[in-house]
Amino acid sequence: MSAIAPVLDATVVASAGAALALTPRVLRREARPGRGGAPGPEALLAVVAALILLNQLAFAVHVQRVHGGSTAFIARYLPPGWFAVPRDNPFVDWVAAHTPAPELLAPSVLRVQAFLELPLVLLTFVAVLRRLDRQLYARVARSPLITLAAASYTVAFCAVEWDLRNPYTVDDLVIRAVSALVTPPLIGWTARREADTTSRSPGAVVFALDLWAYGHLMLVLYDTALLYNPSRLGDRLPGAITAVGVLGLTRLLPRPRCDAPAGPRAAALTDTLGRGLALFLVPALAVRYAGSFGTPRLAALAGAAVLIAAVARHATGLALPAAAAAAAGFLAARWSTDPYYEAALLRSAVVALLAAATVCALLDRSRKHFDALP
């Protein structure tokens, strides 16, 4: 067991308990439209992602000019799989040659990422919520759940940071604490100016595409930027462009009004998805890291408790779609060969959601057919 396991386990218990206690109250609140005039979470997320990629360029220049192209000064402190810096890249070489004071780029080594990692994760989460249901997004992003999530994620990040101690660890811990103080007010300010809280997602199938696209982009950023492997970006670029294209296309689809009729099972599935995402917001990262650095059984138990709370409201009506989703997700996981288990989990989740949405649509259509009979 890792030395940080008690910290992560305690964070799992506390964050899951807080989510189960507070999320139902947040979901009962009315989300009133704001004044508008502020960028949405997707715009802020794009800025954060651009800053992370820009930091990778700064890191590559710093390594080339100050450390002679060798990452040994930091790589020896971290596990394999980090610091694949591009070599003989014309663009990087040109920027490095025209950078007047490369030693000033020293903060690009771990410290900039330490500040940006929390807003990246939280903005991604609320952007996904907004794609599903803008009213849900407004409720959650304006609530204390964002602050609790920032605290839970920061504890998890800092615990792992301490487990991978290096000369920059103390700096990173302080920077992560500052980020935890700054990020929730920024997200809340944006959400309070959400002008449209009356429309919802075009449906679970479209949301599944959005979920895949956001998940794929985060995995690309994780593999190429958060692990300081910018040389892998070229191989990941086609998939990233495809994901951005999917998000652009689904954004153009018409969004039905909240009072538009929907099949009972399709509506129940959307409601369950929203409740599940809101419930998982606070404990998500602690559960993920406890699976690797803490007690996996405790993480699984906490995840199961949150999942049960999410599906309990519509358990009877969604029994058959849930069975289809479980079978499809299991098969997708068995057939996966991804290097990261998060990639396999994403594929399973998307396949499971598509299966559930298909069964819900078929059952709702059958119900309409029988209702129409004399």
Side-chain angles (χ1 to χ4, degrees), residues 39-372:
E42 291 183 330
L44 294 177
L45 178 60
V47 171
V48 171
L51 290 174
I52 289 174
L53 293 174
L54 182 62
N55 186 66
Q56 291 302 297
L57 177 60
F59 173 74
V61 170
H62 178 74
V63 167
Q64 185 176 130
R65 289 285 303 276
V66 177
H67 297 278
S70 173
T71 60
F73 73 100
I74 182 61
R76 65 176 181 268
Y77 296 104
L78 294 164
W82 293 56
F83 305 112
V85 179
R87 303 181 185 279
D88 300 322
N89 183 287
F91 176 69
V92 174
D93 292 345
W94 183 88
V95 174
H98 291 81
T99 300
E103 63 276 1
L104 297 179
L105 300 178
S108 65
V109 184
L110 300 181
R111 284 157 287 182
V112 171
Q113 306 291 67
F115 184 85
L116 295 176
E117 196 167 10
L118 179 65
L120 175 72
V121 175
L122 281 179
L123 284 169
T124 301
F125 209 113
V126 296
V128 170
L129 281 176
R130 192 171 184 266
R131 286 289 179 126
L132 177 66
D133 188 325
R134 291 189 178 183
Q135 189 175 93
L136 172 68
Y137 153 72
R139 288 172 176 168
V140 171
R142 298 171 185 174
S143 76
L145 292 177
I146 293 296
T147 302
L148 290 173
S152 174
Y153 292 12
T154 300
V155 171
F157 280 140
C158 289
V160 175
E161 186 95 43
W162 186 256
D163 196 58
L164 303 174
R165 289 186 294 279
N166 58 75
Y168 307 101
T169 295
V170 174
D171 291 352
D172 289 349
L173 296 180
V174 174
I175 291 170
R176 289 188 185 278
V178 173
S179 182
L181 294 175
V182 172
T183 303
L186 176 63
I187 293 176
W189 172 78
T190 302
R192 283 191 294 273
R193 285 157 177 77
E194 176 64 39
D196 181 7
T197 59
T198 61
S199 61
R200 64 172 187 264
S201 165
V205 172
V206 174
F207 178 70
L209 297 176
D210 287 337
L211 184 63
W212 171 83
Y214 271 117
H216 185 78
L217 287 173
M218 290 307 104
L219 287 173
V220 169
L221 278 175
Y222 175 79
D223 187 38
T224 63
L226 297 181
L227 296 185
Y228 288 79
N229 296 318
S231 66
R232 299 178 184 176
L233 185 58
D235 295 336
R236 307 290 192 270
L237 201 56
I241 293 174
T242 300
V244 171
V246 168
L247 290 174
L249 289 174
T250 57
R251 187 182 179 89
L252 296 176
L253 294 175
R255 302 176 68 90
R257 306 291 294 183
C258 286
D259 56 359
R265 288 180 176 82
L269 177 60
T270 300
D271 181 69
T272 300
L273 285 171
R275 293 178 66 84
L277 287 171
L279 283 162
F280 269 108
L281 170 61
V282 177
L285 198 70
V287 169
R288 181 260 177 265
Y289 280 136
S292 300
F293 297 91
T295 305
R297 290 184 179 180
L298 179 63
L301 182 61
V306 173
L307 181 62
I308 291 171
V311 304
R313 186 174 182 179
H314 302 289
T316 303
L318 293 179
L320 186 58
F330 174 77
L331 291 176
R334 287 293 300 270
W335 291 337
S336 66
T337 57
D338 301 284
Y340 301 115
Y341 90 86
E342 290 91 347
L345 182 62
L346 175 64
R347 179 181 291 107
S348 297
V350 171
V351 170
L353 179 53
L354 289 173
T358 301
V359 174
C360 285
L362 291 174
L363 292 174
D364 286 341
R365 185 171 298 178
S366 300
R367 182 174 181 269
K368 289 180 179 179
H369 173 74
F370 286 114
D371 288 346

